[in-house]
Amino acid sequence: MKLRKYGMIFCSIALGASMVGCGKELPVENEMETEVAESTDPIELVPEEGAQLLFWTSEEAYGEAVAKAFEDKYHVPVTVEKLGMGELDKVSLTGPAGTAADVFMCSHDHFIEGMDAGLFMKIDDSIAQQIKERVSETGIKIVTMNDELYGVPVSIETSCLFYNKDLVDTPATTLEEIIEKSKTYNDAANNKYYFLHSMADVYKAFPMLSAYGYHPFGPDGTDNDQPGFDTEEYKKGLEFINSFKEIMPISATDLRNAEFLRSLFVEGKVAYEITGPWDITQFKDSGINLGVTTLPTYNGKDLTPFAGVKNAHVSAWSKYPIAAQLFAQFLVSDEGASLLYEKANQITTLKDITAVEGLNENEYLRPFAEQFNNSVPMPAVKNIGAFWSSTENAVIAMYDGKLTPEEAQQNTIEAWETTLATEKE
C-alpha cells in the first residue's frame, strides 16, 4: 500500500522562514486577464520557447512513457528521474538553487506542508477549469486552497470489498447480510470466517468508525485542532467496531497482521475481506477465484473508506511555468490516464474512465474507481500523526476487552491532548 498514513513518518520537513509564500502565479496572468475580458473562449496556452522540463516520479516506466507522449504533442523535452519518499524535502532544498523538478508527484497527505512552505505553484485559472471538468470532485478538493488549485490529482487508492467467488455466489450489498451470515458460517476453531477485517487498523477500519457520521478534522478534513473525538458519532463508531468481536473473535494483534489475514483469504478460509488494490496481485497469483466490488451499505447508508491520492505539483521555482502546468494537465488527459494504467497499473482520478482502454473492463480495478467517488480523503493536517496514535492504541485496547467503548473514547481524548502537549515542549 503506497499511499498510507505512514508516509507522514518518512517526510519530516525542516524549512527556513526565508521560503517564498504559498505558490507563485504565471508571469503572464495580467495579460491573460485582459484577454479573458475581451473573449469568453478558453485560452490556449503555449509552452515557453526553449522550454525543457524535469519530472520526479516513483513510477519510472510510466514517467518515461508520459514524458515521450507529451514531447510528441508539445515538442517540449522532459527528463524523468525516479524519486520515492522525501519529495518535499528535496524540492525545498533544490528549488531555490534552480535544480528542483518542474513537476513532481507527492502523496496528498503532504499538501498542507507543501502549501505552508510555498513549494507549489498555483495552477492558472484556464488550466484549472479544464482539470475540474475532467477530474473527480473528491480529488479536486484535495488540492484546493482558498478556491484555487495548487496541484493535479493523478492517481487514486482506496478500499473495496474482496470476496472469494467459490464461497460467495452474489456479493452482498449490505453489511447486515454479511454480519448475519457470519453467525452461522464461522468455525473459529479452524480459522474459518465469513468476514475478516483489520478492525485494529484505523485506516482500514474507517468505514466502520465513520458509519454513524464521524468525520475527523471537520467536514472538509482540514481543521487541524478538531479531531472530533468528543462527539457522539465517534463513540458510536467505536461501539460499532467493538461489536465485530462477535463474528471476528480474534485478537487485535492478529487482526493487525496483514500477512495473517492474506494467508487465510488465499487458503479459502475467509469469504470476505475489506482491503486495497495493493493485495490484488498476490490474491490473483494465488489462484483464488477473486471478486472485487464496492463497499456495502449499513443502516441504508454507504460505507465510506479513506482515500489516498497521488498529486502532480508544479514547483514554485519552475523556469518554465506554462510548459510545466501543461505537463501536469497532460497527466490527466485520456492519453496520460491510459499510460498510468498501462505502465503503472494505477487508477486515474478522471470522472469518466471509459476512455482508459482496459480499465473499465478490469473487474478488479474498476470498483476502486467507483468507490473513490464515495470516499473520504485521508486528512492532510499537521496533527495526523497524533490522530493515528491516539485512535489506534484505544481501539486495540477496546477490541481486546481492556476498555469499554466509553473508556476508549476518553482514552483517545487524553492521548490526543498528551501528544500535542508533548510536541509543544
Side-chain angles (χ1 to χ4, degrees):
M1 179 169 52
K2 297 180 180 178
L3 290 177
R4 281 291 323 262
K5 61 193 175 194
Y6 304 112
M8 293 294 297
I9 299 174
F10 298 108
C11 196
S12 59
I13 308 169
L15 299 171
S18 60
M19 284 293 185
V20 298
C22 288
K24 292 182 179 178
E25 300 180 1
L26 285 180
V28 295
E29 185 169 329
N30 289 337
E31 296 175 13
M32 290 166 53
E33 287 178 356
T34 301
E35 293 179 20
V36 171
E38 297 173 353
S39 173
T40 58
D41 295 334
I43 298 171
E44 188 68 32
L45 297 180
V46 178
E48 298 89 345
E49 185 176 350
Q52 50 185 332
L53 303 175
L54 174 61
F55 179 42
W56 286 345
T57 175
S58 61
E59 300 291 344
E60 194 169 14
Y62 156 69
E64 295 288 356
V66 79
K68 182 180 184 304
F70 179 80
E71 182 174 355
D72 289 344
K73 180 177 181 178
Y74 288 98
H75 309 293
V76 173
V78 181
T79 301
V80 177
E81 291 183 2
K82 185 173 182 178
L83 183 67
M85 295 290 186
E87 307 95 333
L88 298 189
D89 283 321
K90 190 166 183 179
V91 172
S92 68
L93 293 172
T94 59
T99 56
D102 297 275
V103 180
F104 58 95
M105 302 299 299
C106 188
S107 298
H108 87 269
D109 48 334
H110 300 312
F111 180 68
I112 298 299
E113 283 87 352
M115 286 297 298
D116 286 349
L119 305 183
F120 307 147
M121 178 176 291
K122 182 179 86 68
I123 303 299
D124 177 76
D125 290 344
S126 63
I127 294 179
Q129 184 56 42
Q130 295 175 54
I131 292 171
K132 290 176 182 178
E133 291 172 357
R134 296 178 54 80
V135 173
S136 166
E137 184 179 354
T138 302
I140 293 297
K141 288 180 179 178
I142 286 171
V143 291
T144 299
M145 180 71 72
N146 298 325
D147 295 325
E148 302 283 6
L149 214 62
Y150 285 88
V152 180
V154 175
S155 66
I156 66 168
E157 180 182 279
T158 189
S159 300
C160 278
L161 185 66
F162 286 50
Y163 62 99
N164 185 331
K165 291 183 178 180
D166 292 335
L167 303 177
V168 176
D169 293 328
T170 303
T173 57
T174 72
L175 190 57
E176 288 91 339
E177 178 185 342
I178 293 176
I179 293 172
E180 286 305 309
K181 179 71 173 180
S182 297
K183 295 175 182 178
T184 57
Y185 180 94
N186 288 356
D187 181 3
N190 292 301
N191 276 333
K192 180 183 176 184
Y193 299 95
Y194 197 60
F195 176 71
L196 213 55
H197 183 52
S198 185
M199 292 297 179
D201 183 332
V202 172
Y203 176 91
K204 292 183 177 180
F206 186 75
M208 283 67 178
L209 186 62
S210 62
Y212 287 90
Y214 170 65
H215 201 300
F217 302 105
D220 295 325
T222 57
D223 192 342
N224 186 60
D225 299 320
Q226 298 296 332
F229 295 145
D230 57 351
T231 63
E232 184 68 16
E233 291 80 5
Y234 178 70
K235 186 179 76 170
K236 286 185 176 180
L238 289 175
E239 291 172 345
F240 189 39
I241 288 176
N242 201 47
S243 71
F244 279 84
K245 288 191 293 187
E246 181 181 2
I247 64 170
M248 296 191 308
I250 299 176
S251 73
T253 299
D254 284 341
L255 286 176
R256 282 182 62 82
N257 187 336
E259 217 32 70
F260 171 72
L261 299 185
R262 290 190 193 102
S263 65
L264 292 183
F265 191 80
V266 300
E267 289 170 12
K269 293 184 176 182
V270 174
Y272 286 101
E273 180 183 355
I274 295 176
T275 186
W278 50 86
D279 279 333
I280 290 176
T281 299
Q282 182 173 342
F283 287 165
K284 285 173 60 180
D285 291 347
S286 73
I288 193 171
N289 195 2
L290 179 66
V292 181
T293 187
T294 53
L295 296 188
T297 63
Y298 178 69
N299 275 340
K301 297 180 179 180
D302 293 325
L303 291 177
T304 53
F306 270 138
V309 180
K310 268 292 186 74
N311 301 320
H313 295 286
V314 176
S315 167
W317 292 275
S318 175
K319 298 175 182 177
Y320 305 104
I322 298 177
Q325 290 184 66
L326 289 173
F327 179 73
Q329 180 186 23
F330 185 76
L331 299 180
V332 290
S333 65
D334 289 347
E335 187 172 4
S338 296
L339 290 171
L340 178 72
Y341 173 64
E342 177 187 341
K343 300 296 183 179
N345 199 36
Q346 292 183 10
I347 308 165
T348 178
T349 56
L350 295 183
K351 297 175 184 177
D352 181 9
I353 65 171
T354 57
V356 181
E357 185 177 355
L359 179 56
N360 201 45
E361 293 74 39
N362 189 315
E363 62 178 308
Y364 305 115
L365 291 181
R366 185 181 65 251
F368 288 96
E370 297 170 3
Q371 186 65 60
F372 179 71
N373 293 316
N374 187 33
S375 61
V376 177
M378 194 168 62
V381 294
K382 295 178 182 178
N383 288 335
I384 190 65
F387 170 82
W388 295 124
S389 60
S390 301
T391 52
E392 293 199 347
N393 290 336
V395 169
I396 290 171
M398 177 188 70
Y399 202 87
D400 283 343
K402 298 175 183 177
L403 298 174
T404 65
E406 292 77 12
E407 291 169 339
Q409 181 182 32
Q410 187 59 36
N411 182 285
T412 306
I413 294 171
E414 293 173 357
W416 166 266
E417 293 174 346
T418 299
T419 301
L420 295 189
T422 301
E423 291 177 351
K424 291 178 180 179
E425 292 178 356

